[in-house]
Amino acid sequence: MTNSKRRKGLSVASALLGGVLVLSACSGGDEASGSEGNDTSQAKVDEAAAQKTSEAQIKITPADGSNNASINNSATVTVSKGTLAEVKMTTADGTAVAGEISADKTSWKPSAQLERATTYKIAVTATDADGREAHENASFTTVSPDNSFIGSFTPEDGSTVGVGMPVSINFDKAITNKADVQKGITVSSSSGQEVACHWFNANRMDCRPQEYWQEGSKVTLKLALDGVEGAEGVYGVQQKTVSFTIGRNQVSVVDAETKQMKVMQDGKVIKTIPISAGSPDNKTYEGQMVISEKFKETRMNGATVGFTDDDGKGEYDIKDVPHAMRLSTSGTFIHGNYWGAKSIFGSVNTSHGCVGLSDTKGADDPNTPGAWFFDNSIVGDVVVVKNTGDKTIAPDNGLNGWNMDWAQWKAGSAI
């Protein structure tokens, strides 16, 4: 083929090919009509898809990806326009967390308090009225110990205590936002007595009425601290209510001068017991003291409270002190004494600062003064010590805030 013929052939082929291309690309009105037809068809598909989508709307709290989540109020699941079919909650390592769907199947929550510093995952399935399923997933991490605080409180929930028992709360982190934390704590009494709280330091707050609690009253402590910022970046996690009952009104008065203790109930003396208080060199603190702990037997080592000999050993180390009841954090007790001569009780003060009562070794004789007083005392009872010649015990040395007058006590409130 000559070059001219070849070029002509190519031109014809190109023309034919071009015609095909033109025909393919420009179906004119037919292509336009086809496009409109596709739009209509897509609309029908979209409408059908919309009809198949569940109307159930699931909400998980906290939001997916949350940090420092509450251990009390997190992991709540609710649904509107439908009912819950299944809720699965696990820790990051796959451990299942028990929970319960409400009777109307519109909410779910865990059966127990969550753990701190733990990542949880939740997978939810719900259905609408037509049985169409909706799904939602979330993951969150609860507040860490470093970013949270708790308050250890006394007395225990459900206990019966003496009329002098304050509510004492010790926080495991220093509290700088005292007012916010105090607002989250409520102490009330069935007696209607006004209760005020006093901060001794950044970690301790005690609450009490002006006078001793009324006999037989019920005291309620409410902690609504969940999410309360106690210090910068440190949040409360407690949300609970506890209560305790005030027992009979017993106040005992120790007179170091007469070496006698008068045990009174409702202001009437029910028993007088000879005692031996602190020696002239080791006087017993004066003031109103509250029994905070009871031990049938306990060890007392002088080295733990500063009584040491030249070798640094305790001046005394008694491993089986009977019927001991704590009156101060610093080591003041009222307890049984079996090692002292019976003649000292009621006649001479010989102790290192405690109040001693005649007793026997082994704490197994119920007829001794030490055993009687132990058996007839409860935590929260008041022991008033006078005429020792020593200073009044500090209000924060034990549960002894009664040694502060009402005006001073209220002045220590943050609100």
Side-chain angles (χ1 to χ4, degrees):
M1 181 181 294
T2 65
N3 288 337
S4 60
K5 291 181 178 180
R6 186 173 183 275
R7 284 195 298 271
K8 185 176 179 180
L10 290 172
S11 299
V12 172
S14 298
L16 290 173
L17 183 58
V20 172
L21 290 173
V22 169
L23 184 61
S24 297
C26 303
S27 297
D30 290 340
E31 179 64 22
S33 299
S35 177
E36 290 176 2
N38 287 343
D39 287 345
T40 302
S41 177
Q42 186 62 47
K44 292 180 179 179
V45 170
D46 292 343
E47 182 180 355
Q51 291 176 349
K52 292 179 181 179
T53 299
S54 176
E55 293 184 353
Q57 298 177 5
I58 301 168
K59 181 180 179 181
I60 300 175
T61 303
D64 185 37
S66 296
N67 291 310
N68 292 329
S70 166
I71 63 173
N72 299 290
N73 299 321
S74 291
T76 57
V77 178
T78 57
V79 63
S80 58
K81 299 182 180 179
T83 56
L84 293 173
E86 184 180 47
V87 179
K88 290 184 178 180
M89 183 175 180
T90 61
T91 60
D93 62 5
T95 302
V97 177
E100 185 176 353
I101 295 177
S102 62
D104 61 4
K105 297 184 178 182
T106 61
S107 65
W108 177 96
K109 62 181 180 180
S111 301
Q113 186 181 67
L114 304 183
E115 298 294 329
R116 288 191 285 180
T118 303
T119 298
Y120 292 94
K121 296 181 179 181
I122 300 179
V124 184
T125 301
T127 57
D128 64 10
D130 293 327
R132 294 172 296 195
E133 291 188 347
H135 304 273
E136 194 74 45
N137 295 274
S139 177
F140 64 89
T141 302
T142 51
V143 63
S144 70
D146 288 342
N147 295 105
S148 62
F149 71 89
I150 61 172
S152 300
F153 56 86
T154 190
E156 296 180 358
D157 185 31
S159 60
T160 297
V161 297
V163 295
M165 189 70 187
V167 172
S168 184
I169 305 171
N170 286 272
F171 300 100
D172 64 348
K173 301 283 196 311
I175 303 300
T176 56
N177 299 331
K178 292 180 179 178
D180 289 343
V181 170
Q182 188 174 333
K183 288 175 183 176
I185 298 173
T186 304
V187 180
S188 59
S189 172
S190 62
S191 66
Q193 291 173 274
E194 178 190 359
V195 180
C197 297
H198 181 96
W199 289 87
F200 286 116
N201 53 50
N203 293 84
R204 178 180 171 185
M205 184 182 79
D206 285 14
C207 306
R208 67 167 179 87
Q210 183 173 3
E211 305 294 339
Y212 299 144
W213 300 105
Q214 288 187 16
E215 178 179 349
S217 58
K218 183 177 181 180
V219 180
T220 300
L221 164 65
K222 292 184 179 180
L223 298 171
L225 297 174
D226 188 64
V228 175
E229 190 172 25
E232 185 175 0
V234 180
Y235 298 88
V237 295
Q238 289 168 297
Q239 185 170 295
K240 64 195 320 179
T241 299
V242 299
S243 62
F244 57 94
T245 301
I246 306 302
R248 75 285 176 276
N249 184 333
Q250 179 167 303
V251 177
S252 301
V253 179
V254 172
D255 189 332
E257 188 173 358
T258 63
K259 288 87 173 174
Q260 301 289 324
M261 176 172 68
K262 296 185 182 298
V263 183
M264 298 181 292
Q265 289 189 358
D266 296 320
K268 297 179 180 179
V269 177
I270 63 170
K271 194 174 185 68
T272 299
I273 301 175
I275 62 93
S276 179
S279 70
D281 292 332
N282 302 295
K283 298 181 180 75
T284 305
Y285 287 126
E286 294 188 356
Q288 302 172 74
M289 306 182 204
V290 174
I291 296 174
S292 59
E293 291 181 290
K294 294 179 64 182
F295 306 96
K296 186 174 182 181
E297 288 184 281
T298 192
R299 177 184 180 183
M300 291 187 179
N301 188 332
T304 63
V305 289
F307 291 109
T308 57
D309 57 22
D310 294 337
D311 295 327
K313 296 181 180 180
E315 291 183 11
Y316 57 88
D317 187 2
I318 307 170
K319 297 179 175 62
D320 54 358
V321 177
H323 301 123
M325 291 171 280
R326 181 182 292 277
L327 299 179
S328 78
T329 306
S330 63
T332 307
F333 280 79
I334 183 166
H335 61 77
N337 178 333
Y338 66 80
W339 55 91
K342 301 301 180 186
S343 60
I344 67 172
F345 301 102
S347 62
V348 61
N349 293 321
T350 62
S351 82
H352 283 78
C354 292
V355 176
L357 314 177
S358 180
D359 212 328
T360 56
K361 188 173 184 177
D364 54 4
D365 184 351
N367 299 312
T368 64
W372 184 92
F373 188 64
F374 184 88
D375 292 341
N376 287 276
S377 297
I378 58 177
V379 168
D381 280 350
V382 179
V383 177
V384 180
V385 181
K386 65 181 185 178
N387 296 327
T388 69
D390 200 11
K391 63 183 179 181
T392 300
I393 192 167
D396 61 345
N397 186 0
L399 303 177
N400 299 323
W402 302 103
N403 296 288
M404 185 179 291
D405 67 39
W406 190 234
Q408 289 176 307
W409 183 263
K410 295 180 72 174
S413 171
I415 56 177

